[in-house]
Amino acid sequence: MPVFTTRDSTEIYYKDWGNRNGPVVTFSHGWPLSSDNWDAQAFFFASQGYRVIAHDRRGHGRSAQPWEGNDMDTYADDLFELFEHLDLKDATMVGHSTGGGEVARFVGRHGTDRVKKAVLIGAVPPIMVQSESNPEGTPLSVFDSFRASILNDRSQFFLDVPSGPFFGFNRPNAKVSQGQIYSWWQQGMTVSVKGAYDCVKAFSETDFTEDLKKMNIPVLVLHGDDDQVVPIKASAEKSIKLLPQGTLKIYPGGPHALPNILPDEVNKDILEFIKA
């Protein structure tokens, strides 16, 4: 199992698929999942001759579960250390939800010397939590309820989220996949309780405004206009105004889980963006 050890002695699991000499595409997953949530994309791009790197964030999946460091700065630093470990260059970074924040913070902290393009899908930037300056955001009470549910009955909570808003299965005439629900639950149950709890603050309260302004590379923003988890008006529609070279594509009726529900379309859009 490929792992590397960070400077604070945390073991990070990663997949390294495809052509080792091909163009690099990295994938950063959402909360509370793992690199497995990118399987449809990882298989596709590895089959197309790309080198695919997908890691499990600290506290998640097969990575170690430290008590400390479950914050966006450390997530970004862990990923940068992986870039250094594998000497990745000219990478296209792809991030979904919390992973989109990770990509933005990576660039904000470490620049673009190793990155040529980025894709943000259903991503949390600029900032999720509601405030006077961000009235379109989600009330803090919602995230407090997440934390309470994690401590009270994480297993049931991790069934409720994918059964409803994450995949959009609570919408009329939705084609519900029990397999997707169980996969989400299975991945979620591998995250440490502390990692899951802390990451709620990381994805909801981190302000990525300055990070987005520093992303002086082409950035493709993909977002569904029926995203019930990261509403488009509070995220993509604001992010696109901050990105120096951003392009926004809206998926009509698209849910939060675009890479899972519309994998062929997402793969096609990313591929075209990389090749452009």
Side-chain angles (χ1 to χ4, degrees), residues 71-77 99-111 125-126 206-212 215:
D71 58 82
M72 199 58 66
D73 286 354
T74 308
Y75 296 156
D77 292 350
E102 182 177 86
V103 170
R105 182 51 53 93
F106 177 105
V107 173
R109 286 175 69 82
H110 301 289
T206 302
D207 189 341
F208 300 98
T209 299
E210 297 305 315
D211 302 303
L212 294 172
M215 298 184 77

Side-chain angles (χ1 to χ4, degrees), residues 239-275:
S239 292
I240 199 64
K241 297 175 182 178
L242 297 167
L243 291 164
Q245 300 180 55
T247 301
L248 172 62
K249 177 176 179 180
I250 299 172
Y251 290 69
H256 185 57
L258 293 177
N260 309 101
I261 299 300
L262 299 171
D264 293 341
E265 190 171 351
V266 168
N267 292 348
K268 175 178 175 291
D269 288 338
I270 297 173
L271 184 62
E272 290 179 353
F273 174 69
I274 292 174
K275 289 184 172 182

